Amino acid sequence: TQLLEQSPQFLSIQEGENLTVYCNSSSVFSSLQWYRQEPGEGPVLLVTVVTGGEVKKLKRLTFQFGDARKDSSLHITAAQPGDTGLYLCAGGRRGGFKTIFGAGTRLFVKA
Amino acid sequence: NAGVTQTPKFRVLKTGQSMTLLCAQDMNHEYMYWYRQDPGMGLRLIHYSVGEGTTAKGEVPDGYNVSRLKKQNFLLGLESAAPSQTSVYFCASTESSYNEQFFGPGTRLTVL
C-alpha cells in the first residue's frame, strides 16, 4: 500500500509568519500534486510537480519535489488569513488509475 | 461549464434506508471517482471508473455500489445505510490519474 504522510497535521500561526508543510512516502510517484480545500468545498489544485528536484512558485507559495520523487514540501512565506485551509498532497503514477491522498495539514492563520 | 456537480448537498438518513448520490461532469473526462472524507483521515477512495460502463473497487468499497451508464454521470448507492457511513462524500473527475482532479462541492451525509 502506498502511503503519503503529511506533517504537521495541524498548524496555527500568526499572520506574517513563514511555514513549511511536508509530504513523505516510501514509494516513488510520477507526479505529486498539492490541493487546498476550504470549509464546505471540494479540494482545488494548487500545483503539480513531476520532475525530481523540481521547484515551483505560486506567489508566496513554494513547492518542491524531492530528488527521488518520494517526498515534497510546501513553503508559505508571510502567511495571510486567506491561506487558512486544509492542504492535501496527492501522488499519481503514469499509467495508474488511482491517486493517493495524504491526510492533510490543517492551517489556521490568525490576523 | 459547470465542472463537477453533486446532488444532494445534504442528507439525513435513518439506519437501513437507501439512497443514491449523483455526480455529473461536463468536461468529457474518462476517469471518475467517489471519495469519502472523515476528520483526520483525508480522502479515501470508495469506487472509481475509467470509462463508461466500467467500475472498480477502491480502498473502502464495502456497503457501497456504483454505476457509470453514461460517461458524464457516476452514481454512488448506499443500499442499507449504517452510522459508520456518516461522512462527507466527494466526486471527482480527471483525464487520467496523472492529471489534476476536479472535485464537486461534496455531499454531507448523516446516518442516524
Side-chain angles (χ1 to χ4, degrees):
Chain A
T1 302
Q2 301 172 350
L3 292 177
L4 277 172
E5 296 184 358
Q6 290 189 240
S7 61
Q9 291 184 346
F10 181 80
L11 194 55
S12 180
I13 61 173
Q14 290 290 139
E15 181 177 4
E17 292 184 4
N18 301 331
L19 68 118
T20 302
V21 173
Y22 300 93
C23 176
N24 296 299
S25 175
S26 59
S27 301
V28 175
F29 290 98
S30 302
S31 68
L32 202 295
Q33 299 169 337
W34 285 92
Y35 292 81
R36 185 169 76 196
Q37 183 179 17
E38 299 191 14
E41 299 180 6
V44 176
L45 182 73
L46 294 172
V47 77
T48 300
V49 286
V50 299
T51 305
E54 181 177 4
V55 177
K56 281 192 174 180
K57 292 192 175 184
L58 185 65
K59 296 183 180 179
R60 294 175 293 100
L61 279 61
T62 302
F63 304 85
Q64 184 164 8
F65 202 10
D67 291 340
R69 289 186 287 129
K70 293 182 178 181
D71 55 85
S72 181
S73 63
L74 158 60
H75 182 80
I76 301 179
T77 303
Q80 299 177 0
D83 295 326
T84 293
L86 179 67
Y87 289 81
L88 297 160
C89 67
R93 279 191 164 184
R94 196 185 296 275
F97 298 128
K98 296 177 283 186
T99 299
I100 307 299
F101 281 85
T105 292
R106 189 165 297 280
L107 172 65
F108 182 66
V109 183
K110 294 174 283 188
Chain B
N1 288 348
V4 179
T5 58
Q6 291 182 233
T7 52
K9 289 190 175 181
F10 302 94
R11 187 73 186 268
V12 178
L13 291 177
K14 294 181 179 179
T15 296
Q17 288 185 319
S18 63
M19 76 164 294
T20 300
L21 283 68
L22 172 63
C23 175
Q25 52 97 2
D26 61 3
M27 296 171 283
N28 202 37
H29 287 162
E30 290 290 343
Y31 291 52
M32 295 188 74
Y33 304 85
W34 275 107
Y35 296 93
R36 60 177 289 172
Q37 187 173 39
D38 302 291
M41 303 190 73
L43 289 165
R44 292 188 291 169
L45 183 64
I46 305 171
H47 286 280
Y48 64 99
S49 168
V50 299
E52 181 179 313
T54 74
T55 63
K57 294 181 180 180
E59 183 185 357
V60 288
D62 294 342
Y64 306 94
N65 57 77
V66 289
S67 64
R68 182 105 181 264
L69 298 180
K70 293 182 178 181
K71 186 176 183 178
Q72 63 267 33
N73 296 335
F74 196 28
L75 278 64
L76 177 71
L78 286 73
E79 290 185 349
S80 181
S84 61
Q85 293 177 306
T86 293
S87 187
V88 181
Y89 293 85
F90 287 99
C91 175
S93 72
T94 182
E95 292 179 356
S96 77
S97 66
Y98 191 76
N99 293 84
E100 173 184 5
Q101 292 199 16
F102 293 85
F103 285 84
T107 295
R108 184 173 294 275
L109 175 67
T110 301
V111 183
L112 303 175

Coordinates of all heavy atoms in Angstrom, one line a residue, chain A residues 30-31 33 35 37 40-45 48 50 86 88 92-99 101-104, chain B residues 31 33 35 37 40-43 45 48 50 57-59 90 96-106 108:
Chain A
S30 N 5.1 9.3 -10.0 CA 5.4 10.0 -11.2 C 5.1 11.5 -11.1 O 5.7 12.3 -11.8 CB 4.6 9.4 -12.3 OG 4.9 8.0 -12.5
S31 N 4.1 11.8 -10.3 CA 3.7 13.2 -10.1 C 3.2 13.4 -8.7 O 2.7 12.5 -8.0 CB 2.6 13.6 -11.1 OG 1.4 12.9 -10.8
Q33 N 0.9 16.2 -6.4 CA 0.0 17.4 -6.5 C -0.2 17.9 -5.1 O -0.3 17.2 -4.2 CB -1.3 17.0 -7.2 CG -1.1 16.5 -8.6 CD -2.4 15.9 -9.2 OE1 -3.3 15.5 -8.5 NE2 -2.5 15.8 -10.5
Y35 N -3.2 20.2 -3.2 CA -4.5 20.8 -3.3 C -4.8 21.6 -2.0 O -4.2 21.3 -0.9 CB -5.6 19.7 -3.3 CG -5.6 18.9 -4.6 CD1 -4.7 17.9 -4.8 CD2 -6.6 19.2 -5.6 CE1 -4.8 17.1 -6.0 CE2 -6.6 18.5 -6.8 CZ -5.7 17.4 -7.0 OH -5.8 16.7 -8.1
Q37 N -8.1 22.9 0.3 CA -9.6 22.7 0.5 C -10.1 23.7 1.6 O -9.5 23.8 2.7 CB -9.9 21.3 0.9 CG -11.3 21.0 1.1 CD -11.6 19.6 1.5 OE1 -10.7 18.9 1.9 NE2 -12.8 19.1 1.3
G40 N -16.5 23.4 3.5 CA -17.7 23.3 2.7 C -17.5 23.2 1.2 O -18.4 23.2 0.4
E41 N -16.2 23.0 0.8 CA -15.9 22.9 -0.6 C -15.0 21.7 -0.9 O -14.4 21.1 0.0 CB -15.2 24.2 -1.1 CG -16.1 25.5 -0.9 CD -15.4 26.7 -1.4 OE1 -14.3 26.6 -2.0 OE2 -15.9 27.8 -1.2
G42 N -14.9 21.4 -2.2 CA -14.0 20.3 -2.6 C -12.6 20.9 -2.8 O -12.4 22.1 -2.9
P43 N -11.6 20.0 -2.8 CA -10.2 20.4 -3.0 C -10.0 21.1 -4.3 O -10.6 20.7 -5.3 CB -9.4 19.1 -2.8 CG -10.3 18.2 -2.1 CD -11.7 18.6 -2.5
V44 N -9.1 22.0 -4.4 CA -8.8 22.7 -5.6 C -7.3 22.6 -5.8 O -6.5 22.9 -4.9 CB -9.2 24.2 -5.6 CG1 -8.7 24.9 -6.9 CG2 -10.7 24.3 -5.5
L45 N -6.8 22.2 -7.0 CA -5.4 22.0 -7.3 C -4.6 23.4 -7.2 O -5.1 24.4 -7.7 CB -5.2 21.5 -8.7 CG -3.8 21.2 -9.1 CD1 -3.3 19.9 -8.4 CD2 -3.6 21.0 -10.6
T48 N 1.2 21.0 -9.7 CA 1.6 19.6 -9.9 C 3.1 19.7 -10.2 O 3.6 20.5 -11.0 CB 0.9 19.0 -11.2 OG1 -0.5 19.0 -10.9 CG2 1.4 17.6 -11.4
V50 N 6.5 17.2 -11.3 CA 6.7 15.9 -12.0 C 8.1 15.5 -12.1 O 8.4 14.3 -12.4 CB 6.1 15.9 -13.4 CG1 4.6 16.1 -13.3 CG2 6.7 16.9 -14.3
L86 N -7.3 23.5 4.4 CA -6.7 22.1 4.5 C -5.8 21.9 3.3 O -6.3 22.1 2.2 CB -7.8 21.1 4.6 CG -7.3 19.6 4.7 CD1 -6.6 19.3 6.0 CD2 -8.5 18.7 4.5
L88 N -3.7 19.4 1.0 CA -3.6 17.9 0.8 C -2.5 17.7 -0.3 O -2.5 18.4 -1.3 CB -4.9 17.4 0.2 CG -6.1 17.5 1.2 CD1 -7.4 17.4 0.4 CD2 -6.0 16.3 2.2
G92 N 0.5 10.4 -7.9 CA 0.0 9.7 -9.0 C 1.1 8.9 -9.8 O 2.3 9.3 -9.6
R93 N 0.7 7.9 -10.4 CA 1.7 7.1 -11.3 C 1.2 7.1 -12.7 O 0.0 6.8 -13.0 CB 1.8 5.7 -10.7 CG 2.7 5.5 -9.6 CD 2.9 4.1 -9.3 NE 4.1 3.9 -8.4 CZ 4.6 2.7 -8.1 NH1 4.0 1.6 -8.5 NH2 5.6 2.6 -7.3
R94 N 2.1 7.4 -13.6 CA 1.7 7.4 -15.0 C 1.3 6.0 -15.4 O 2.0 5.0 -15.1 CB 3.0 7.7 -15.9 CG 2.6 8.1 -17.3 CD 3.9 8.4 -18.1 NE 4.6 9.5 -17.6 CZ 4.4 10.8 -18.0 NH1 3.4 11.0 -18.8 NH2 5.1 11.8 -17.5
G95 N 0.1 5.9 -16.0 CA -0.4 4.6 -16.4 C -1.3 4.0 -15.3 O -2.0 2.9 -15.5
G96 N -1.3 4.5 -14.1 CA -2.1 4.0 -13.0 C -3.5 4.6 -13.0 O -3.8 5.6 -13.8
F97 N -4.4 4.1 -12.3 CA -5.8 4.5 -12.3 C -6.1 5.4 -11.1 O -7.2 6.1 -11.1 CB -6.7 3.3 -12.3 CG -6.6 2.5 -13.5 CD1 -6.4 1.1 -13.4 CD2 -6.6 3.0 -14.8 CE1 -6.2 0.3 -14.5 CE2 -6.4 2.2 -15.9 CZ -6.3 0.9 -15.8
K98 N -5.3 5.3 -10.0 CA -5.7 5.9 -8.8 C -4.7 7.0 -8.3 O -3.5 6.8 -8.6 CB -5.9 4.9 -7.7 CG -7.0 3.9 -7.9 CD -7.1 2.9 -6.8 CE -6.1 1.8 -7.0 NZ -6.3 0.7 -6.0
T99 N -5.2 7.9 -7.6 CA -4.3 8.9 -6.9 C -4.4 8.7 -5.5 O -5.4 8.5 -4.9 CB -4.8 10.4 -7.3 OG1 -4.8 10.6 -8.7 CG2 -3.9 11.4 -6.6
F101 N -4.0 10.1 -1.7 CA -4.0 11.3 -1.0 C -3.5 11.2 0.4 O -3.7 10.2 1.1 CB -5.5 11.9 -0.9 CG -6.0 12.5 -2.1 CD1 -6.5 11.8 -3.1 CD2 -5.9 13.9 -2.3 CE1 -7.0 12.4 -4.3 CE2 -6.4 14.5 -3.4 CZ -6.9 13.8 -4.4
G102 N -2.8 12.2 0.9 CA -2.4 12.3 2.3 C -3.5 12.7 3.1 O -4.6 13.2 2.6
A103 N -3.4 12.7 4.4 CA -4.5 13.0 5.4 C -4.7 14.5 5.5 O -5.7 15.0 6.0 CB -4.2 12.4 6.7
G104 N -3.6 15.3 5.1 CA -3.8 16.7 5.0 C -3.2 17.5 6.2 O -2.9 16.9 7.3
Chain B
Y31 N -12.1 9.4 -16.5 CA -12.0 8.9 -15.1 C -12.9 9.7 -14.1 O -12.9 10.9 -14.1 CB -10.5 9.1 -14.6 CG -9.5 8.2 -15.3 CD1 -9.4 8.2 -16.7 CD2 -8.6 7.4 -14.6 CE1 -8.4 7.4 -17.3 CE2 -7.6 6.7 -15.2 CZ -7.5 6.7 -16.5 OH -6.6 5.9 -17.1
Y33 N -14.3 9.4 -9.8 CA -14.0 8.8 -8.5 C -15.0 9.2 -7.5 O -15.6 10.3 -7.6 CB -12.6 9.3 -8.0 CG -11.5 9.1 -9.0 CD1 -11.2 10.0 -10.0 CD2 -10.7 7.9 -8.8 CE1 -10.1 9.7 -10.9 CE2 -9.6 7.7 -9.7 CZ -9.3 8.6 -10.7 OH -8.3 8.4 -11.6
Y35 N -15.0 9.6 -3.3 CA -14.2 9.5 -2.1 C -15.1 9.8 -0.9 O -16.2 10.5 -1.1 CB -13.1 10.6 -2.1 CG -12.1 10.5 -3.2 CD1 -12.2 11.2 -4.4 CD2 -10.9 9.8 -2.9 CE1 -11.2 11.1 -5.3 CE2 -9.9 9.7 -3.9 CZ -10.1 10.4 -5.1 OH -9.1 10.3 -6.0
Q37 N -14.6 11.6 3.0 CA -13.6 12.4 3.8 C -14.1 12.4 5.2 O -15.2 12.9 5.5 CB -13.5 13.8 3.3 CG -12.3 14.6 4.0 CD -12.1 15.9 3.3 OE1 -13.0 16.6 2.9 NE2 -10.8 16.3 3.2
G40 N -9.3 13.8 10.0 CA -8.0 13.2 10.3 C -7.7 12.1 9.4 O -6.6 11.4 9.5
M41 N -8.5 11.7 8.4 CA -8.2 10.6 7.6 C -8.1 10.9 6.1 O -8.0 10.1 5.3 CB -9.3 9.5 7.7 CG -9.5 9.0 9.2 SD -10.5 7.6 9.4 CE -9.4 6.4 8.7
G42 N -8.2 12.2 5.8 CA -8.0 12.6 4.4 C -9.1 12.0 3.5 O -10.2 11.7 3.9
L43 N -8.8 11.9 2.2 CA -9.7 11.4 1.2 C -9.5 9.9 1.0 O -8.4 9.5 0.7 CB -9.6 12.1 -0.1 CG -10.0 13.6 -0.1 CD1 -9.5 14.3 -1.3 CD2 -11.5 13.6 -0.1
L45 N -10.7 6.5 -1.1 CA -11.3 6.1 -2.4 C -12.3 5.0 -2.2 O -11.9 3.9 -1.6 CB -10.3 5.7 -3.4 CG -10.8 5.4 -4.8 CD1 -11.4 6.6 -5.5 CD2 -9.6 4.9 -5.7
Y48 N -14.2 3.7 -8.3 CA -13.8 4.6 -9.4 C -14.2 3.9 -10.7 O -14.5 2.8 -10.8 CB -12.3 4.9 -9.3 CG -11.4 3.7 -9.5 CD1 -10.8 3.5 -10.8 CD2 -11.0 2.9 -8.5 CE1 -9.9 2.4 -11.0 CE2 -10.2 1.8 -8.6 CZ -9.6 1.6 -9.9 OH -8.8 0.5 -10.0
V50 N -13.0 4.1 -15.0 CA -12.0 4.6 -16.0 C -12.7 4.8 -17.4 O -12.0 5.0 -18.4 CB -10.8 3.6 -16.1 CG1 -10.1 3.6 -14.8 CG2 -11.2 2.3 -16.6
K57 N -13.3 -1.3 -7.6 CA -13.3 -1.0 -6.1 C -12.1 -0.2 -5.8 O -11.0 -0.4 -6.3 CB -13.4 -2.3 -5.3 CG -14.6 -3.1 -5.5 CD -14.6 -4.4 -4.7 CE -15.9 -5.2 -4.8 NZ -15.9 -6.4 -4.0
G58 N -12.3 0.7 -4.8 CA -11.2 1.4 -4.2 C -10.8 0.9 -2.9 O -10.8 -0.3 -2.7
E59 N -10.4 1.8 -2.0 CA -9.9 1.4 -0.7 C -10.9 1.0 0.3 O -10.7 0.1 1.1 CB -9.1 2.6 -0.1 CG -8.4 2.5 1.2 CD -7.9 3.8 1.7 OE1 -7.9 4.8 1.0 OE2 -7.3 3.8 2.8
F90 N -17.2 13.1 -1.7 CA -16.8 13.9 -2.9 C -16.6 13.1 -4.1 O -16.1 12.0 -4.1 CB -15.4 14.6 -2.6 CG -15.5 15.7 -1.6 CD1 -15.1 15.5 -0.2 CD2 -15.9 17.0 -2.0 CE1 -15.2 16.5 0.7 CE2 -15.9 18.0 -1.0 CZ -15.6 17.8 0.3
S96 N -6.8 11.7 -16.5 CA -6.1 10.5 -16.1 C -5.6 10.7 -14.7 O -5.6 11.8 -14.2 CB -4.9 10.2 -17.0 OG -3.8 11.1 -16.7
S97 N -5.2 9.6 -14.0 CA -4.7 9.7 -12.6 C -3.5 10.6 -12.5 O -3.1 11.0 -11.4 CB -4.5 8.4 -12.0 OG -3.4 7.8 -12.6
Y98 N -2.9 10.9 -13.6 CA -1.6 11.7 -13.6 C -2.0 13.2 -13.7 O -1.1 14.0 -13.4 CB -0.8 11.3 -14.9 CG 0.5 11.8 -15.0 CD1 1.6 11.3 -14.2 CD2 0.9 12.9 -15.8 CE1 2.8 11.7 -14.3 CE2 2.1 13.3 -15.9 CZ 3.1 12.8 -15.2 OH 4.4 13.2 -15.3
N99 N -3.2 13.5 -14.0 CA -3.6 14.9 -14.2 C -4.4 15.4 -13.0 O -4.8 14.6 -12.1 CB -4.4 15.0 -15.5 CG -3.6 14.8 -16.7 OD1 -3.4 13.6 -17.1 ND2 -3.1 15.8 -17.3
E100 N -4.7 16.7 -13.0 CA -5.5 17.3 -12.0 C -6.8 16.7 -11.9 O -7.5 16.4 -12.9 CB -5.7 18.8 -12.4 CG -6.6 19.6 -11.4 CD -6.8 21.0 -11.9 OE1 -6.3 21.4 -13.0 OE2 -7.5 21.7 -11.1
Q101 N -7.3 16.5 -10.6 CA -8.6 16.0 -10.4 C -9.5 17.2 -10.1 O -9.1 18.1 -9.3 CB -8.7 15.0 -9.2 CG -8.0 13.7 -9.5 CD -8.4 12.6 -8.6 OE1 -9.4 12.7 -7.9 NE2 -7.6 11.5 -8.6
F102 N -10.7 17.2 -10.7 CA -11.7 18.3 -10.4 C -12.7 17.7 -9.5 O -13.3 16.7 -9.8 CB -12.3 18.7 -11.7 CG -11.3 19.4 -12.6 CD1 -10.5 18.7 -13.5 CD2 -11.2 20.8 -12.6 CE1 -9.5 19.3 -14.3 CE2 -10.3 21.5 -13.4 CZ -9.4 20.7 -14.3
F103 N -12.9 18.4 -8.4 CA -13.8 17.9 -7.4 C -15.2 18.6 -7.4 O -15.3 19.8 -7.7 CB -13.2 18.1 -6.0 CG -12.1 17.1 -5.7 CD1 -10.8 17.3 -6.1 CD2 -12.4 15.9 -5.0 CE1 -9.8 16.4 -5.8 CE2 -11.4 15.0 -4.7 CZ -10.1 15.3 -5.1
G104 N -16.2 17.9 -7.0 CA -17.5 18.5 -6.8 C -17.5 19.2 -5.4 O -16.6 19.1 -4.6
P105 N -18.6 19.8 -5.0 CA -18.7 20.5 -3.8 C -19.0 19.7 -2.6 O -18.9 20.1 -1.4 CB -19.9 21.5 -4.0 CG -20.7 20.8 -5.0 CD -19.8 20.1 -5.9
G106 N -19.3 18.4 -2.8 CA -19.4 17.5 -1.7 C -20.9 17.3 -1.3 O -21.7 18.1 -1.5
R108 N -22.9 16.1 2.3 CA -22.7 15.8 3.7 C -23.9 14.9 4.1 O -25.0 15.2 4.0 CB -22.8 17.1 4.5 CG -22.5 16.8 6.0 CD -22.4 18.1 6.8 NE -21.2 18.8 6.4 CZ -20.0 18.7 6.9 NH1 -19.8 17.7 7.8 NH2 -19.0 19.4 6.5

